[in-house]
Amino acid sequence: MLPTPSLTRRLAALFYEALILLALWIVAGFPFVGLSQGLDPAWVTPLFRLYLLLVTGLYFTWFWRHGGQTLPMKTWRIRLVSADGAPVTRRQAWLRYGAALLGIPFLGVGLWWAWFDADRQFLHDRLSGTRLVKLD
């Protein structure tokens, strides 16, 4: 079985991922803004947030399902696999994304979990039956 990447490596990839997501949100925002002209602003803000969550979910789940890596994960030589080493299923990818989102309001509890986990995996990996592996 491949080793787990260090927390430093995973956090560096997470920072890089944030930059990619920022660019993705900017590009994805253009059509939304164009199509939402004239709508009640009280509806536009929550709809925009939901739209960005969906775009983000599609980004992650597509890459996790097609090779197990986003660009930052490729750069830092990290791959997402099922706990048994097989490719990630659609269900696992969406479950992982949803569990990671739920950890955000709780001060990133899913990330802190790795400090106490025997295999140094994130909580959302445990919940979705996935694991991050180092590709050296």
Side-chain angles (χ1 to χ4, degrees):
M1 184 181 289
L2 292 170
T4 301
S6 69
L7 287 174
T8 304
R9 181 180 288 225
R10 287 184 279 168
L11 291 175
L14 187 63
F15 176 74
Y16 185 6
E17 203 74 71
L19 298 175
I20 299 287
L21 282 177
L22 181 60
L24 176 66
W25 291 341
I26 290 169
V27 171
F30 286 120
F32 185 91
V33 170
L35 294 171
S36 65
Q37 293 299 315
L39 295 179
D40 182 2
W43 286 93
V44 172
T45 300
L47 282 176
F48 186 59
R49 289 179 182 158
L50 285 173
Y51 170 71
L52 290 180
L53 284 175
L54 178 63
V55 167
T56 304
L58 290 170
Y59 164 77
F60 280 117
T61 59
W62 193 88
F63 280 104
W64 291 338
R65 292 265 301 127
H66 296 88
Q69 296 174 292
T70 61
L71 179 60
M73 292 169 79
K74 283 182 181 182
T75 302
W76 287 95
R77 301 188 50 77
I78 298 170
R79 176 172 285 141
L80 181 70
V81 296
S82 291
D84 62 2
V88 175
T89 66
R90 180 177 287 117
R91 180 182 181 281
Q92 286 176 308
W94 281 104
L95 186 57
R96 184 178 196 268
Y97 175 68
L101 279 180
L102 290 176
I104 293 171
F106 297 101
L107 304 174
V109 69
L111 303 178
W112 290 102
W113 180 271
W115 285 101
F116 307 103
D117 186 88
D119 296 324
R120 298 288 187 230
Q121 294 297 319
F122 293 134
L123 179 58
H124 41 274
D125 288 309
R126 287 289 179 204
L127 295 173
S128 63
T130 60
R131 63 185 316 256
L132 293 170
V133 294
K134 183 178 168 186
L135 298 176
D136 279 342

